[in-house]
Structures are given as structure tokens and as C-alpha cells.
Amino acid sequence: MEETSQDLLLDTCLLAGKVMMESGAEMYRVEDTMSRIAEAATEKKGISFVTPTGIFMTIQGSSSVKMEQIPTRTINLEKVSKVNDLSREFTTKQISLGQFYTRLRSLDNEVKFYPIWLQIVAAAVVSGTLMMIFGGVWKDLIATCIIGAIGFVIFYYGTEFFKVKFLAEFLAAFTVGLLSVIAISIGWGVSLDKMIIGGVMPLVPGVPITNAVRDLLAGHLLSGMARGTEALITAGTIGIGIAVVFRFFS
């Protein structure tokens, strides 16, 4: 393969991996996608090393190695699905390598999230419904929905302001706990523990924990431990925020 074509292939593989990693895909899925792209283009094995903060990639028999950093990580499973669709189109020869790379660049630059108001409404619904599932009563429903929505707003804007996700999670959990205590004291609720459980549910790192376990089961011990540690720190931060409320305000 010509050097320029190989460079384009490596850039394409790395970009596909970067988009998937930043969107919350599992490590083994990222490596498998990159390997399939390389094999479809060269009939040679793609050799990659993926971590939560960076990706290394080369083609078997080549001396050229490229790296791509992963500066941010979030959850956007729609992007993961789109990268998988594009890789299937490329492996079945429906699009060329150049078209594949161009469409990946467009997907990488696409900032497509649900509007904040809809995310807040979803957080409220999740808080109220899960509070009921965990044994709450109907009297607590409205207050829990409001508290969960406010906690999510604190987390969302706190992340943008502080640039430290764990601090935003602490403040959000603290707010949820404090508002729950206030709601109970003024008669808007009857079950403090159930209201707090429901209110913090939008903050719980469910997807990171799931991906950490899946990576560990797939043999990716480094990435599984890293993601699991991040999820545990998040859970611990939420717990500390609630504990502070119980210690000083309950």
C-alpha cells in the first residue's frame, strides 16, 4: 500500500476509534471496529492499543505507528451506532476510504444532543419513577421529580463551570439531599431515603459501570479497571454529598 493511502487508513481507523471512545463505547468494540476497517482495506491485520485517554494504531508489517488522544468522554450511543454503520458500509465496499474518512470527520464535528430542557424533563421523570420502584409513595412523587431535575441542572452547569466532573457531582448530590430534607421538613414528602434515592438516580454512572464490567470480561483489564475506578469515584462522590447533608442538616 502506498504511504499516503496507509496514512489515510490509519487516520480513518484512529478517527473511528476516537469518536467511539468519546461516545462511551467499550474498548473491545473499538478495537474490533478498527481491526475490521484495516482488514477490509489491506487484507492485513490492524494492531491497536486502546486506553481511556489514547489510541495507538499500526498495520501488521508496517513501521508506521500513529496515535490519537481522547480528551473527553461522554455518553452518546447514537454516534457509536453511526460509526458501526459506516464501518459496515466500508467493509461491504459501499463507500470508499476517502468517503468513509470524510463522513467520520463530519460525524466527529457533529454536536447533536437533546436540548437541555428535554434532558431536565427526562431527569425529573427518571427520579420520580425510580423513587416509586424503590418503594416510595405517591405523595413524594412531585417533590422527587422537582428535586431530581434541580440536581441534574446543578450537575450539568456545574460540569461546564468547574470543568471537574466529580465536583459537579458532589454539588448535585448535596443539593438533592438538602432539598429532600427541606421537603420533608415542610410536609412535601414522607420518605426521606426514597426521595434521595430517586433524586440521585440521574447522576448514577450506570453506563460506565456496565462498560467497565464488559471490558473486564472481554480481557481488557487496564481499560476495565480505569473505567471501573472512575465509576466508583463518581459513586463515592455522590455518597459523600449525601453524607454531608445527613451529618449537618438531618
Side-chain angles (χ1 to χ4, degrees):
M1 176 180 284
E2 297 181 1
E3 185 174 351
T4 55
S5 298
Q6 182 169 298
D7 286 341
L8 178 60
L9 175 59
L10 288 176
D11 289 341
T12 302
C13 291
L14 288 171
L15 183 57
K18 173 177 176 288
V19 173
M20 294 181 72
M21 281 297 301
E22 289 182 341
S23 302
E26 306 93 326
M27 301 289 180
Y28 72 87
R29 187 187 300 275
V30 174
E31 290 187 351
D32 180 67
T33 299
M34 295 169 64
S35 178
R36 289 177 184 274
I37 294 171
E39 290 181 10
T42 65
E43 297 184 355
K44 293 182 180 180
K45 184 179 179 181
I47 302 173
S48 60
F49 179 69
V50 181
T51 73
T53 56
I55 303 174
F56 298 85
M57 179 76 181
T58 187
I59 305 298
Q60 188 175 38
S62 171
S63 58
S64 177
V65 180
K66 285 196 172 186
M67 174 189 173
E68 184 72 52
Q69 285 186 311
I70 311 297
T72 59
R73 293 179 300 279
T74 184
I75 304 298
N76 191 336
L77 300 183
E78 183 178 1
K79 277 192 174 184
V80 176
S81 177
K82 287 184 177 180
V83 173
N84 285 332
D85 292 340
L86 288 173
S87 67
R88 292 189 189 97
E89 290 181 22
F90 175 70
T91 55
T92 55
K93 310 300 181 183
Q94 298 180 38
I95 57 176
S96 66
L97 183 61
Q99 291 173 322
F100 188 16
Y101 181 75
T102 300
R103 292 173 67 176
L104 280 175
R105 291 285 296 180
S106 176
L107 180 61
D108 185 35
N109 294 327
E110 180 183 85
V111 182
K112 186 177 180 182
F113 285 97
Y114 291 107
I116 180 60
W117 67 266
L118 185 56
Q119 295 183 50
I120 295 171
V121 170
V125 172
V126 166
S127 298
T129 53
L130 288 178
M131 181 274 297
M132 295 298 298
I133 289 174
F134 279 97
V137 296
W138 286 105
K139 184 177 180 180
D140 296 338
L141 181 62
I142 300 300
T144 303
C145 290
I146 295 173
I147 290 170
I150 293 174
F152 180 80
V153 170
I154 297 295
F155 167 70
Y156 183 88
Y157 289 105
T159 303
E160 293 186 351
F161 180 77
F162 294 109
K163 306 299 181 184
V164 179
K165 183 170 73 75
F166 301 123
L167 179 57
E169 288 164 347
F170 169 80
L171 292 175
F174 177 82
T175 302
V176 167
L178 184 59
L179 291 177
S180 297
V181 171
I182 294 173
I184 293 294
S185 65
I186 63 178
W188 285 10
V190 296
S191 180
L192 178 61
D193 57 338
K194 302 299 190 300
M195 291 179 66
I196 290 176
I197 290 172
V200 300
M201 276 301 163
L203 309 176
V204 173
V207 174
I209 291 175
T210 302
N211 285 347
V213 173
R214 294 183 69 176
D215 282 338
L216 287 171
L217 293 177
H220 292 262
L221 302 181
L222 177 62
S223 61
M225 291 293 290
R227 282 183 162 177
T229 301
E230 182 179 4
L232 287 176
I233 292 175
T234 296
T237 302
I238 295 171
I240 291 171
I242 299 300
V244 170
V245 173
F246 276 109
R247 176 65 179 81
F248 294 103
F249 300 98
S250 180

